[in-house]
């Protein structure tokens, strides 16, 4: 496996320069573009990695999976009264669909849905940003994970579109806490800095039917773990979820920081990172690396 | 397995009466509602079935998979210049998205996409309706399969919305043959009558990485078969694809005739049939039966 | 007045070359761009004209006013069960709004609304194209007016978008006749060839509260004439109706042939013609000429 | 005239009970429904009134005309770089169109457009709420006009949808001041309390080509006054602008407080008030009274 990962990084490295680092906030635009890392955890805890796999980066929308898991743990099925689990078929930040569907977001991985999830968690946790930080530290078994407050503040300064969505949902009665407070929590989650190794490990429970490697209390029930994987498979890559299923064939979740996490149910959790994005806002090289990896090892669930 | 199928039919039978038989054309509205059948083929050709598994019914949109496979066989990847493979996030018959996206349908399983696929096949086959009929006879190994011309004619009389979509795509330059001729082919495909056993067998190649049971020329390459399964998983159940992944966890395709086909990659192909539909236009009892079956046997790919 | 018209044509002539002749069908694309004419009829029948005021051109969407008047004459207020009289706020050929509003077009001057009007007239007249031709001959007092069958046929060949709209309305139950037959009538109306003088005269009844110059049976009641003017004022220039009110301040109707007709209630009817269109599809020089004329003589109704 | 006004109020009074008082905030819901007043000012300053013409009410969206006039006075034509003057063809509070048109509102009388106007005025005035109050006191020649701070605060508490629009425009770069501050100004304008007599007098300059009755500095130039009337005529009554032109035939502006103002250019300014609204959000009895008045006296501009 180790050799395969290194081979694949060499094969995709020539694609450097074809994508574009996210530049909607300065703190993200400054990330050096030519970084590339990958990490694979087997379900029984074996680690493989190559490239810049220990460099922390901004996990951004990958945090939406952690928020969703927190919400599932305390709401169960009643969660779905507030949002759906259908693919959205629109770019990830569109208000149009949200207005047509009267403030009920399509799924937890578009921004509107993630904001509803944060609103739900805000009602439960005293300090949501800390609860989230501790949760991912636990999942990744790394007590040093922190959120980058400069990034969080910068995102907050550019909150206009997310604020518009939150207020629109409030107008439809589907947002219960103070909009500004929830946005602050949301951006703190997005600004968490984790490495490929951290993320591959933190997603391990989704490759183990919800169980922790160390034993003890499972993160989710087997059925819930499958459901999270199902939502990732249909909605995890913004407006490119279908293409990810077509090319890679795995449940996955991407972030504009350039990370993509994928799950091979029962077998592996993977994280690849490269900051340059394609037109759909997903890591260009990350997509290519995962496609090769999935084909080489026969990982597709289809 | 046989016992499991019979148990499950008994468990879901009490749901009879909660759905609504499709009634947009008289020929479908007349189908007795209280029918219920299921058939499972293993990848190595073992058959199990229960209930009305030998009764032919109108396969309707399930035919979209066969059309797609025909188009893939002769176009390969160039197919995707004419349409996408992203979930649509709108009810299956919406023109709005089609206009926004300038006549390029989101995927081959919404009506607009299926019409483009038919337009592509129309350019290739002398008599598309016959080519399709022979293709499904071959896949199902049943020379008696026919299309119901009364249903096809009745659908044609109610073609207004499909005609609107076809003309809109023509306005955008994405429709090359005579609209009326393509519609006639399309409705002939939809009006094919097959039983659960026919359909389970006909979908077997998707559980066998594209290969025929009898050997010989494969229907699709392994990679193409995975891709078709991926598209079914993200877009196969209209505006309920996410829910099907969430509840059943398998690639699948439904039709308004009440059939749902699902694939357990490498292991099984399944067809369940019950004419009453839920609000999303999918067989209400079919969904319930597949959910139970998938959980009982642990079929979810997630 | 005569002098004013000639002055204004000289002032706007330098704008020649800034617009673009409609080229969606060859028959229109071939019209020489550098033509320019204007005609003004006073309510008591005095005629003034300048430039190419006697050259017939394709009236295109200006015919929608004549169709509307025919429909009002035999339906009265019940007409508005089939369509609205609200401005549309979208480009003139959009299907989006039509789908949202379930097949009921916003007003009679967008294509969808004009098609419903033609469908209504189709149910009443044995040969709608002839009834229309005779009606405009009567209004313009010119027995030589004809429809250009080459243009009509060419429009029919490019009917895709209009066909899509008609079928969509049929899908919503708001279209009662054969789509192809109504489209043929519609394109015959659009292909009528009239000069500025013809059109200014034909619109005279709208400047005379519905009355004919010669006396006899009025075309419309005074109240109906005001209503037609009101609809022209809010919806007569596609997605530029607000701008026309803002700049010219008169009820008006344009066509892609480059004609614009305007009404000064109680006083004048005007037609200006120049084939080059602006980005909104209205005659670029026609807009400028009418703005100058309206300001020079103080015609604005506001 | 006095007699006509009293007659008309008697004719429309039986419609009381058919509409519905605005209830989205308590302060408006508490207004007694059975009030009805009308006032007419002639262009040379003669006043006629009937019913509850001296009772102040919440002018709400009628304030959008005053804001627009303030913005025109200091921006002139450059104003239209920030918003359009086309009718919107959607309900008054829709975000859909705003997103499609990239944050540039259709016109100054939909909420999004009024918010942009307030944002423009916010950049100019130290205390916009006071500048507005003084402006309407001057126009209405009534130093006692005040804004109801309870209503303004209550509107602010229910600001979600307006906040969503403002943030969306900020996301598109078309909002320059702090969203919360502009919303506070906006709601103060809406909460101004004026009577029918106040409003009829305050709109007098639009019936006098922009001039003040007392002479002195005109409010607007003649051309600008016509332009404001033109925008009212095409966009003044939310999604019923076409119907108002069709039935009443005058430039007008309504508010959810139940007021409707109309202008008979060169002759009169009118205000009618009755709190019950029709489904389009306009005063049900106000519409009926203006229709009768316009027909009785022959006021239609068409």
């Amino acid at each position: 496996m180790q050799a395969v990962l290194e081979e694949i990084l060499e094969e995709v490295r020539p694609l450097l320069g074809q994508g574009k680092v996210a530049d909607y906030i300065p703190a993200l635009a400054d990330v050096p573009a030519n970084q590339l890392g990958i990490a694979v955890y087997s379900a029984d805890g074996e680690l493989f990695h190559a490239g810049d796999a220990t460099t922390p980066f901004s996990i951004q929308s990958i945090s939406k999976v952690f928020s969703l898991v927190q919400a599932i743990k305390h709401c169960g099925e009643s969660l779905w009264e507030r949002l759906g689990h259908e693919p959205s078929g629109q770019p990830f930040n569109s208000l149009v669909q949200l207005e047509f569907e009267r403030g009920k977001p399509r799924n937890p991985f578009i921004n509107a849905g993630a904001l509803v999830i944060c609103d739900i968690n805000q009602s439960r946790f005293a300090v949501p940003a800390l609860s989230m930080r501790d949760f991912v530290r636990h999942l990744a078994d790394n007590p040093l994970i922190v959120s980058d407050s400069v990034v969080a503040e910068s995102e907050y300064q550019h909150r206009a579109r997310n604020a518009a969505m939150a207020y629109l949902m409030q107008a439809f009665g589907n947002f219960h806490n103070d909009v500004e407070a929830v946005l602050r929590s949301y951006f703190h989650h997005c600004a968490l800095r984790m490495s490929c190794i951290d993320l591959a490990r933190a997603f391990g429970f989704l490759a183990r039917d919800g169980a922790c490697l160390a034993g003890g209390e499972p993160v989710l029930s087997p059925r819930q773990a499958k459901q999270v994987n199902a939502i990732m498979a249909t909605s995890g890559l913004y407006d490119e979820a279908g293409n990810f299923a077509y090319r890679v064939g795995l449940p996955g979740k991407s972030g504009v920081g350039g990370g993509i996490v994928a799950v091979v149910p029962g077998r592996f959790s993977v994280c690849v990172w490269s900051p340059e994005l394609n037109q759909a806002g997903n890591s260009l090289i990350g997509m290519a690396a995962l496609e090769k990896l999935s084909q080489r090892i026969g990982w597709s669930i289809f």
Side-chain angles (χ1 to χ4, degrees), chain A:
Chain A
M1 173 72 81
Q2 189 68 37
V4 171
L5 296 186
E6 275 159 18
E7 262 176 56
I8 281 172
L9 289 203
E10 287 324 297
E11 288 173 26
V12 297
R13 204 177 290 278
L15 296 172
L16 273 170
Q18 296 194 6
K20 193 162 168 302
V21 175
D23 58 0
Y24 66 100
I25 57 167
L28 287 179
D30 290 348
V31 174
N34 64 344
Q35 300 180 87
L36 176 55
I38 191 164
V40 175
Y41 260 95
S42 73
D44 52 8
E46 206 174 354
L47 170 68
F48 310 91
H49 63 94
D52 305 313
T54 59
T55 309
F57 59 88
S58 198
I59 70 168
Q60 293 295 321
S61 290
I62 297 173
S63 68
K64 290 173 172 135
V65 181
F66 300 127
S67 303
L68 171 63
V69 171
Q70 283 188 319
I72 287 175
K73 284 170 79 73
H74 58 87
C75 295
E77 285 289 308
S78 72
L79 185 65
W80 308 115
E81 294 162 14
R82 299 281 302 276
L83 78 169
H85 42 253
E86 290 301 326
S88 93
Q90 300 263 9
F92 67 103
N93 52 5
S94 172
L95 272 90
V96 170
Q97 197 166 55
L98 193 57
E99 185 168 30
F100 287 158
E101 302 189 351
R102 306 195 60 71
K104 188 176 176 184
R106 280 249 148 186
N107 66 64
F109 296 152
I110 50 173
N111 283 14
L115 288 168
V116 161
I117 295 284
C118 277
D119 181 52
I120 289 168
N121 290 337
Q122 191 88 9
S123 300
R124 187 189 180 220
F125 295 117
V127 186
L130 290 186
S131 303
M132 170 58 77
R133 193 199 62 186
D134 292 347
F135 184 50
V136 299
R137 284 179 174 182
H138 166 69
L139 290 177
D141 194 19
N142 177 354
L144 302 178
I145 292 169
V146 291
S147 180
D148 182 331
S149 58
V150 172
V151 168
E153 178 60 28
S154 180
E155 304 251 25
Y156 182 76
Q157 292 307 321
H158 293 77
R159 72 190 176 285
R161 184 171 275 273
N162 285 305
M165 284 189 280
Y167 277 111
L168 181 58
M169 292 190 283
Q170 190 180 83
F172 282 116
N174 195 23
F175 209 88
H176 303 162
N177 294 281
D178 179 64
V179 166
E180 304 298 319
V182 174
L183 287 172
R184 292 236 175 242
S185 299
Y186 173 74
F187 293 128
H188 266 285
H189 304 345
C190 290
L192 282 164
R193 292 176 60 77
M194 297 172 73
S195 68
C196 288
I197 291 177
D198 289 332
L199 279 165
R201 190 196 294 265
F203 272 73
F205 72 98
L206 290 172
R208 283 187 301 267
D209 266 352
C212 291
L213 186 58
E217 177 80 12
V219 182
L220 291 177
S221 74
R223 182 144 173 73
Q224 288 172 328
K226 285 181 200 307
Q227 289 167 343
V228 171
N229 284 339
I231 299 170
M232 286 202 289
T234 53
S235 311
L237 274 88
Y238 305 131
D239 218 24
E240 204 177 24
N243 198 35
F244 193 75
Y246 183 86
R247 287 174 54 187
V248 178
L250 295 175
K253 185 74 201 79
S254 61
V256 291
I260 308 180
V261 172
V263 174
V264 193
R267 300 171 62 196
F268 294 98
S269 50
V270 195
C271 179
V272 60
W273 171 57
S274 168
E276 292 183 349
L277 308 181
N278 65 16
Q279 289 200 319
N282 298 311
S283 174
L284 189 145
I285 292 184
M287 289 282 283
L290 284 173
E291 184 176 14
K292 283 175 180 290
L293 191 56
S294 173
Q295 285 191 56
R296 192 92 39 108
I297 318 191
W299 273 354
S300 167
I301 58 176
F302 303 117

